[in-house]
Amino acid sequence: QVQLVESGEGSVQAGGSLTLSCVASGRTFSTYAVGWFRQAPGKEREFVAAINWSGDVTDYADSVKARFTISRDGAVNTVYLQMYSLKPEDTAVYYCGAGRAWLLRYAATTYAYWGQGTQVTVSS
């Protein structure tokens, strides 16, 4: 069993930065890949970034590539999403998920465990 808690909620102006954290409990967390997804009002949950279980492979949606960085710190069971050059279209609730099927990382259904979400608002 894995439990995830996101934090880092904030409101920033366009061009600003935020860092989200996903803290996990559970002894097996280190064996899971972690994905960040986001969901804007009236839209489906969409893939943002993912990191494999060992932290040496990452992947990003084209819309955030070169602006967002995902990383994990096994010592504190935490995965981070550093967001730079934020745009109004990045406004959404951001969720982290833990799953084992790296090849299926783009699909929300891949992830067995989810956090409660954290709000990111970017104003123009």
Side-chain angles (χ1 to χ4, degrees):
Q1 188 79 3
V2 173
Q3 293 183 321
L4 305 173
V5 178
E6 301 100 334
S7 63
E9 174 175 326
S11 296
V12 298
Q13 291 191 325
S17 303
L18 277 176
T19 295
L20 306 182
S21 299
C22 173
V23 180
S25 61
R27 291 180 298 171
T28 61
F29 178 67
S30 62
T31 66
Y32 284 83
V34 174
W36 281 97
F37 284 70
R38 65 188 181 187
Q39 189 165 17
K43 295 189 176 182
E44 293 188 354
R45 192 170 295 194
E46 66 171 358
F47 171 80
V48 174
I51 189 165
N52 73 335
W53 69 272
S54 59
D56 59 349
V57 181
T58 58
D59 197 6
Y60 300 90
D62 287 343
S63 59
V64 306
K65 205 169 289 185
R67 298 189 300 119
F68 290 12
T69 300
I70 188 171
S71 61
R72 70 190 298 165
D73 185 342
V76 290
N77 270 6
T78 301
V79 173
Y80 303 98
L81 185 68
Q82 296 172 286
M83 306 183 293
Y84 304 99
S85 301
L86 283 162
K87 304 175 180 181
E89 51 264 42
D90 294 319
T91 295
V93 177
Y94 283 70
Y95 299 88
C96 65
R100 287 207 164 111
W102 178 251
L103 292 179
L104 303 177
R105 58 192 176 275
Y106 302 116
T109 52
T110 292
Y111 299 85
Y113 303 101
W114 289 96
Q116 81 289 351
T118 190
Q119 177 71 48
V120 172
T121 303
V122 185
S123 58
S124 57

